[in-house]
Amino acid sequence: MAEAIYENEIQLESNSLILSILETYNLSDAIEFRIALDADNNSIVTESEINSFKESYLALRSPQFMEYIKIDNDNVTLYMNSISMDIYNATGNVTQAPLYVNTTIHYGITPELGPGTHSLWILGHPLIERMHICLPKGAILLSNDGLDNAITMKSLRDDSVALEGRSGIRSFMIGNRSTFEYATTVEFHKPHFYERGYFLPLLLSMELFLVVLAFYMKRKH
C-alpha cells in the first residue's frame, strides 16, 4: 500500500548474518495497523496489546523469515539464533499518525564462509525503498543483480564494502527460458591469504632475509 515504506539492512559476517527490517506506516496504513493492534476494539492501543501482537506475530512468521535469505544457493546452513520486534509510537488512540516497526533477526552460518567466491540472495519487495548490504570484512564485491540505483560505499562499521539501493527485479536463465523475480543477489570473493596485498611484499622480504642469512652463514664458515 502507498502509505507503507520498508527498509532492509543486512550485515553479513563469516559465521553470522543480521537482518533488520524497518517499516514505516502512515495515513490509512497507520490506521489499519493500529486497528490490528487494538485487540479489544475500543479504539485505544495499549502496551499489553502490542506485546500480545508481537508474541503471536513472531510465532506465526518466524519460519517465513528463514526464506528471506539464502547463502551459496543453500549450500551452507542458515539457522535462526534470535528474533525481536519493536513497535514505536503506536499506543493511544487509533489515528493516522506515523508508527514504526523494527524487526531484527540474528542468523548463524555453518560452516562459516571461508576463502573463495560466495553468493547472497535476499527476497525483495516493491515497497523496499532502501536496501543496505554490508559484506564481510576484506570481501571483494564481484557483482549484484536486482538492486536498483545501486551505489557502493565503505561501511561505517569498518572498511567493509557496502551496497545500497532499492529492491528491484532480478533476471536469470532457467534452461533456455528467461525468468524474473523480486530478489537481490550479490556475489563476492573472500581472498585467500596469498591473494592479499601484503603477501607478495612479505614473501619477498622473507626471501631477502634467507639470502642474507645464507650469505652470512657462508662467510662465517
Side-chain angles (χ1 to χ4, degrees), residues 48-182:
S48 62
E49 287 175 322
I50 291 174
N51 291 334
S52 177
F53 174 87
K54 290 193 294 186
E55 183 178 351
S56 60
Y57 178 86
L58 292 179
L60 178 66
R61 292 293 301 277
S62 288
Q64 295 180 25
F65 287 122
M66 295 304 301
E67 301 173 6
Y68 275 38
I69 303 280
K70 294 180 182 178
I71 298 176
D72 290 353
N73 297 314
D74 278 342
N75 288 324
V76 298
T77 300
L78 198 66
Y79 57 92
M80 188 181 297
N81 279 327
S82 66
I83 182 169
S84 62
M85 171 184 278
D86 294 302
I87 300 177
Y88 304 100
N89 199 40
T91 57
N93 294 333
V94 173
T95 68
Q96 64 179 13
L99 66 83
Y100 311 93
V101 182
N102 184 0
T103 306
T104 302
I105 306 104
H106 290 253
Y107 301 91
I109 300 171
T110 183
E112 71 174 40
L113 305 179
T117 299
H118 301 281
S119 64
L120 173 66
W121 180 93
I122 308 157
L123 182 66
H125 192 281
L127 295 183
I128 302 176
E129 296 194 354
R130 173 180 166 270
M131 186 176 286
H132 183 90
I133 305 164
C134 184
L135 299 180
K137 187 173 182 178
I140 300 168
L141 175 65
L142 299 178
S143 66
N144 74 87
D145 189 15
L147 190 65
D148 293 345
N149 304 320
I151 58 173
T152 305
M153 63 189 75
K154 290 290 186 181
S155 168
L156 297 176
R157 177 173 51 92
D158 50 33
D159 288 334
S160 304
V161 175
L163 299 90
E164 189 166 296
R166 181 179 182 133
S167 178
I169 297 175
R170 168 182 174 252
S171 61
F172 57 100
M173 299 295 294
I174 297 181
N176 296 322
R177 182 167 57 90
S178 183
T179 306
F180 304 90
E181 66 176 359
Y182 246 112

Side-chain angles (χ1 to χ4, degrees), residues 1-29:
M1 298 175 68
E3 290 82 24
I5 299 172
Y6 293 80
E7 300 175 66
N8 282 357
E9 294 185 357
I10 298 99
Q11 181 177 313
L12 178 62
E13 301 289 354
S14 296
N15 59 357
S16 65
L17 183 146
I18 301 174
L19 168 63
S20 296
I21 303 171
L22 314 174
E23 307 167 50
T24 302
Y25 296 91
N26 296 287
L27 305 176
S28 62
D29 274 0

Side-chain angles (χ1 to χ4, degrees), residues 188-209:
F188 61 94
H189 182 75
K190 290 192 67 181
H192 292 80
F193 73 95
Y194 54 80
E195 297 178 283
R196 300 186 183 276
Y198 61 77
F199 179 74
L200 184 57
L202 178 62
L203 182 61
L204 293 175
S205 298
M206 292 178 63
E207 289 179 348
L208 180 60
F209 172 76

